Amino acid sequence: MPFFCAILIKSELTLEELNNLYSKYRENEWSYVVEKQVSNNITFIEHRDLKFKALKAEEQLISYYIVYTWGSSDYPLSDLDIRGH
């Protein structure tokens, strides 16, 4: 079952420093991607209007980053998980 997971972090580290930090956990080009978060929208998701609810749309985001990963799992009961349907 394919999945997408994201967290919002606030850090004083630079984007390059965060990428170096998370790079040791990457399994491929789609895991532990770090990007600057400039609004409450998660903009790279197609067909969805995903937002970080904790952020206000007009809030100026300084030092906020999104860390996300794409993947898949073959756990035995994946067809029963309604989140993927």
Side-chain angles (χ1 to χ4, degrees):
M1 171 184 275
F3 67 85
F4 170 77
C5 180
I7 60 170
L8 178 69
I9 61 172
K10 185 173 183 177
S11 176
E12 298 304 319
L13 297 176
T14 66
L15 180 60
E16 182 179 336
E17 291 170 328
L18 287 169
N19 267 311
N20 287 336
L21 177 69
Y22 282 99
S23 67
K24 59 185 162 190
Y25 302 107
R26 287 190 184 122
E27 296 174 5
N28 56 46
E29 65 181 303
W30 298 105
S31 62
Y32 297 100
V33 179
V34 182
E35 293 183 3
K36 186 87 173 134
Q37 186 67 24
V38 296
S39 76
N40 66 336
N41 291 322
I42 300 175
T43 57
F44 47 85
I45 301 294
E46 294 181 17
H47 313 296
R48 299 267 192 229
D49 187 24
L50 296 177
K51 298 176 186 293
F52 287 112
K53 290 182 181 180
L55 299 175
K56 295 179 176 78
E58 69 280 355
E59 186 175 352
Q60 185 176 9
L61 302 178
I62 299 171
S63 302
Y64 282 89
Y65 300 89
I66 184 171
V67 181
Y68 63 92
T69 196
W70 296 90
S72 63
S73 174
D74 294 327
Y75 71 95
L77 301 175
S78 64
D79 288 336
L80 301 176
D81 188 348
I82 61 170
R83 293 174 296 175
H85 298 284

